[in-house]
Amino acid sequence: MNQALRIAQYGCGKMAVYTMRYVYEKGAEIVAAFDVNPAVIGKDIGEVMGCGRKGVKIEDAKHADRILKETKPDACIITTMSLMSDVEDAFKVCAENGVNAISTCEEAFFPWNSSPGITRELDEIARKTGCTLCGAGYQDVFWGNLITTLAGATHRITKIRGKSSYNVEDYGIALAKAHGAGLSLEDFEKEIASADNISESARQQLIEKGEFAPSFMWNVNGWLCSQLGLTIVHQIQKCVPQTYDKDLKSETLQMTVPAGYATGMSAIVITETEEGITLETECIGKVYAPEEFDQNDWTIEGEPNTQVVIDRPATVELTCATVVNRLPELIDAPSGYTTTEKMGVNRYKVKPLHEYVKTK
Amino acid sequence: MNQALRIAQYGCGKMAVYTMRYVYEKGAEIVAAFDVNPAVIGKDIGEVMGCGRKGVKIEDAKHADRILKETKPDACIITTMSLMSDVEDAFKVCAENGVNAISTCEEAFFPWNSSPGITRELDEIARKTGCTLCGAGYQDVFWGNLITTLAGATHRITKIRGKSSYNVEDYGIALAKAHGAGLSLEDFEKEIASADNISESARQQLIEKGEFAPSFMWNVNGWLCSQLGLTIVHQIQKCVPQTYDKDLKSETLQMTVPAGYATGMSAIVITETEEGITLETECIGKVYAPEEFDQNDWTIEGEPNTQVVIDRPATVELTCATVVNRLPELIDAPSGYTTTEKMGVNRYKVKPLHEYVKTK
Ligand SMILES: NC(=O)c1ccc[n+]([C@@H]2O[C@H](COP(=O)([O-])OP(=O)(O)OC[C@H]3O[C@@H](n4cnc5c(N)ncnc54)[C@H](OP(=O)(O)O)[C@@H]3O)[C@@H](O)[C@H]2O)c1
């Protein structure tokens, strides 16, 4: 392709500050931007990005259909929320206009196993209009391709264990509470863990109805099994409280979490496959003790065992760079809802993005 | 492809014990085996593998031409030695017979920048007969695709630093001496470091004549720059002595290395590119202190910084699994000497190898 990529930004919050700058710095441009927040609607995107005016006004998302029709961008970056039911409308308006779309929505990474109804519907529209929809971000590399790349150096895998942690203090009070931080173990069991105490058939019904709330690793395990060619027999998720042996102050909760109380939780997903490979992956969100820091730690067990550790990953930048670097592959990918394990590994882009687009 | 892959093994030493077993365990079979060592010629490969008879006799490598013509294997695994000048004959006899070949030879990973003459010649033969030649092994994943996968999550790279270490005590005395282990720093300078004190043009002449001895990372930096689309401006290598602040016993050298003497060396390769990205990669081989162990430690510097660490990698198994898992991609790759950065990331093979071959 010999023209700069023209990109729309859907959702102009924290992630968009990075994705929009990265788009410009990779020789592409933002041609439209949407949000629902009255505080940003009407602003120039440069104000959000913290740089000079760019001449692109953030529009109310309710006008997205008309504006996408007018601007016909090469792709849209959706950075609004974390569940498919939340980003469905954004994906749909893109798909209906034949605009490729990529989202940081965590469920969007592999929504086939948690919201198959919405995903099938979006897939159909995108196939008809000839565009591609997908999810990407931190998990695309650090819970996805990093692991399958190491798997390629393994003779026989018996188990894949993954563990990723974050500090709930870095986010708002809602997240801390959703992680059960500050609860006694009894209350944690009642208020948090019990939601996943359901039978497999009950969960399957929720999934079919689009009412299941997947933890991040639920979709990751689906992606990994798809990439590795594994057939899932069972998959469960459960929430396990995390504790610390001393009292811990939480700024976010404005309280001291007593020793032995829940500092947060680990959302564990366990997948059994026909091929005899088990995936046991967990996301740990908690109030950190002074010596703790973010870690991404995976082990492939089998012949041989291999452990990979990434300390203090810069998740925001990594997420946004992954999404922006994926734009050429997104444009080149087959039409439909095409998850990234079907696109190959994301490549570093040293040249302007459009120079990597092959099909246009 | 709907028939089990038929593989030849060229070199029946330590690596072959693993590659041959992996071939069988991935639903393929060994149909020919070669060596030059009279101690193994004439043996059944099962004796080398440490299992029952397989009905395949190890033949003198001088008969390889005739036997490859008779058996027409789908691919040959070459595990003999570490320099292109050493494996040239093995690659050539495969290429002349149209047999795809993959080697653990370290230089073979990216021989274009160290032995361009031999590589061009092999490339021409392979294009004529329609087969593919390449090098693979530990570096394919741990110094190659692992790094470029993380690069794909990076917005802007300024530098890539890599560091991989091994204990010279795990190998023979020749290797320990080649690493300068046991020398005073003065003697190290004279006997080891001085070889790389040559001008760029003098090195280039050695390279053109096929007389340059690349350190492992010389070829790795070439591979990384090719994968990332970088243009090399300068590349140097140098050997830096490693020391320890206490005396260290060496079993292999049968001596005590005094504190402050060379325990081994780091072979550092520094590459500058037109795009402003620097690669600084080193291979450290030394007599380990009690607290040291093998490590593979890489950092991508830029926006953002990301460090990945692999402790105690099982290099032998990882090397052999990588080579065997690469067989389908080797068979499907374009003809010629096709280095693996052109094949995409190696995938784990959960099904028999032949089920992954697309072009046959
Ligand atoms: N890429 C990687 O990641 C990686 C990892 C590990 C090893 N390697 C490399 O792989 C190579 C093989 O390692 P290894 O441990 O298996 O070595 P090894 O145990 O010495 O086995 C090599 C075998 O090949 C034979 N041989 C040597 N030259 C030959 C020739 N021209 N034709 C036929 N056979 C020949 C040797 O015979 P003699 O004993 O008579 O010489 C020996 O039987 C080495 O160069 C090693 O450095 C690479």
Side-chain angles (χ1 to χ4, degrees), chain A residues 61 89 108 122 207 255 278:
Chain A
D89 290 348
L122 293 172
I207 290 174
M255 70 176 278
T278 303

Side-chain angles (χ1 to χ4, degrees), chain A residues 37-45 47 53 56-60:
Chain A
N37 182 350
V40 296
I41 292 173
K43 283 191 177 162
D44 185 275
I45 55 166
E47 281 182 77
R53 278 181 58 80
V56 179
K57 205 171 75 177
I58 299 172
E59 305 275 359
D60 191 322

Side-chain angles (χ1 to χ4, degrees), chain B residues 10-16 34-38 40 61 78-83 86-87 89-90 103-106 136-140 216 315-316 319:
Chain B
Y10 202 113
C12 296
K14 267 192 238 105
M15 294 298 135
F34 310 108
D35 208 295
V36 289
N37 184 346
V40 296
I78 302 169
T79 56
T80 54
M81 295 177 73
S82 298
L83 292 173
D86 297 322
V87 294
D89 289 348
S103 178
T104 55
C105 164
E106 285 87 351
Y138 183 71
Q139 54 273 72
D140 192 4
F216 293 172
T315 42
V316 171
T319 295

Side-chain angles (χ1 to χ4, degrees), chain B residues 30 92-93 106 157 169 196 228 279 302 327 350 359:
Chain B
I30 302 291
K92 198 181 269 174
V93 71
E106 285 87 351
I157 301 177
E169 293 284 283
D196 283 306
L228 295 167
L279 282 75
L327 290 170
V350 70
T359 53

Side-chain angles (χ1 to χ4, degrees), chain A residues 95 112 119-133 334-338 342:
Chain A
W112 295 107
T119 313
R120 271 194 301 263
E121 197 191 331
L122 293 172
D123 183 59
E124 266 175 41
I125 305 172
R127 280 171 193 268
K128 263 191 213 130
T129 61
C131 65
T132 309
L133 314 175
S335 305
Y337 200 106
T338 306
K342 303 227 154 46

Side-chain angles (χ1 to χ4, degrees), chain B residues 69-262:
Chain B
K69 276 196 175 58
E70 287 167 10
T71 48
K72 287 270 167 231
D74 296 301
C76 179
I77 299 173
I78 302 169
T79 56
T80 54
M81 295 177 73
S82 298
L83 292 173
M84 281 305 276
S85 51
D86 297 322
V87 294
E88 180 180 3
D89 289 348
F91 268 132
K92 198 181 269 174
V93 71
C94 290
E96 284 170 348
N97 286 288
V99 174
N100 303 294
I102 187 165
S103 178
T104 55
C105 164
E106 285 87 351
E107 190 184 356
F109 184 50
F110 196 82
W112 295 107
N113 71 353
S114 54
S115 294
I118 295 175
T119 313
R120 272 193 300 263
E121 196 191 330
L122 292 173
D123 183 57
E124 267 175 40
I125 305 172
R127 281 171 194 268
K128 265 193 213 130
T129 60
C131 66
T132 309
L133 313 175
C134 79
Y138 183 71
Q139 54 273 72
D140 192 4
V141 176
F142 292 84
W143 302 342
N145 281 304
L146 172 66
I147 316 312
T148 54
T149 296
L150 297 179
T154 309
H155 174 53
R156 189 179 39 84
I157 301 177
T158 53
K159 195 170 207 168
I160 298 178
R161 284 179 197 279
K163 203 163 73 176
S164 195
S165 62
Y166 50 93
N167 192 350
V168 298
E169 293 284 283
D170 294 344
Y171 304 88
I173 186 161
L175 187 105
K177 292 212 156 163
H179 281 64
L183 297 181
S184 70
L185 296 189
E186 236 174 42
D187 290 344
F188 184 95
E189 187 52 40
K190 268 186 271 172
E191 294 178 29
I192 307 286
S194 59
D196 283 306
N197 283 341
I198 53 171
S199 70
E200 269 189 67
S201 63
R203 183 184 288 113
Q204 201 48 46
Q205 278 177 18
L206 287 179
I207 290 175
E208 290 302 330
K209 282 195 284 181
E211 289 171 10
F212 174 62
S215 67
F216 293 172
M217 291 299 181
W218 185 270
N219 305 103
V220 168
N221 283 16
W223 189 101
L224 287 170
C225 287
S226 174
Q227 205 281 353
L228 295 167
L230 307 178
T231 308
I232 297 177
V233 181
H234 292 291
Q235 182 160 305
I236 59 153
Q237 70 179 20
K238 58 184 179 188
C239 294
V240 176
Q242 303 292 298
T243 57
Y244 191 62
D245 59 6
K246 296 198 197 81
D247 290 359
L248 272 186
K249 273 231 172 80
S250 163
E251 296 284 338
T252 302
L253 291 168
Q254 301 246 23
M255 70 177 277
T256 295
V257 180
Y261 271 53

